[in-house]
Amino acid sequence: MMRLVEKLGNRIRLIRKEKGLSQEQLAEVSGLHTNYIGAIERGEKNVTVESLEKVSLGLGITMDELFRYIDPMLQKDELTTLVELLNERSESDRKMALSLLSQVFQWEAEKHKMP
């Protein structure tokens, strides 16, 4: 079973790459050392809350977004399955999926309108 610091490091790496940032760039905007960012991403550091706040600000996300989806939900339902599927995809894939789903719902609503 993966340790929490490893899961968090993987999450930070995923978001950093989605944002198109290098470790050096994230370190600079976060006010942290590049080696420290690398150690966090590899799960080698038990990072402080203050450092996590700096990383989240550097990534341009909230702490909530940083910790979102680190652990799978215990009760699996359709919504949980959708969230897990989307969580494994890139930001552009998630935006495309949202657009497609919105179009399906719009089509469904228009189908039931009275003439």
Side-chain angles (χ1 to χ4, degrees), residues 59-74:
L59 291 169
I61 62 172
T62 64
M63 292 285 277
D64 175 59
E65 290 172 293
L66 183 62
F67 281 94
R68 193 174 297 160
Y69 314 123
I70 285 185
D71 280 323
M73 297 178 174
L74 298 176

Side-chain angles (χ1 to χ4, degrees), residues 13-27:
R13 180 182 300 113
L14 174 74
I15 296 169
R16 176 182 59 77
K17 287 183 175 183
E18 284 180 351
K19 302 268 183 187
L21 296 171
S22 66
Q23 286 184 345
E24 293 79 14
Q25 291 169 319
L26 178 57

Side-chain angles (χ1 to χ4, degrees), residues 23-37:
Q23 286 184 345
E24 293 79 14
Q25 291 169 319
L26 178 57
E28 185 176 326
V29 296
S30 300
L32 299 169
H33 195 278
T34 304
N35 293 341
Y36 189 64
I37 295 294

Side-chain angles (χ1 to χ4, degrees), residues 20-99:
L21 296 171
S22 66
Q23 286 184 345
E24 293 79 14
Q25 291 169 319
L26 178 57
E28 185 176 326
V29 296
S30 300
L32 299 169
H33 195 278
T34 304
N35 293 341
Y36 189 64
I37 295 294
I40 292 171
E41 288 187 1
R42 291 187 300 275
E44 297 172 355
K45 290 286 183 186
N46 195 3
V47 64
T48 65
V49 173
E50 289 84 7
S51 293
L52 284 176
E53 181 180 39
K54 290 178 181 181
V55 169
S56 70
L57 289 172
L59 291 169
I61 62 172
T62 64
M63 292 285 277
D64 175 59
E65 290 172 293
L66 183 62
F67 281 94
R68 193 174 297 160
Y69 314 123
I70 285 185
D71 280 323
M73 297 178 174
L74 298 176
Q75 183 93 10
K76 291 238 182 185
D77 57 12
E78 293 85 5
L79 184 57
T80 302
T81 303
L82 280 170
V83 168
E84 287 177 353
L85 285 171
L86 291 171
N87 188 45
E88 296 170 358
R89 306 303 303 188
S90 69
E91 184 177 2
S92 62
D93 284 355
R94 289 192 300 266
K95 286 180 180 180
M96 181 176 47
L98 178 59
S99 175

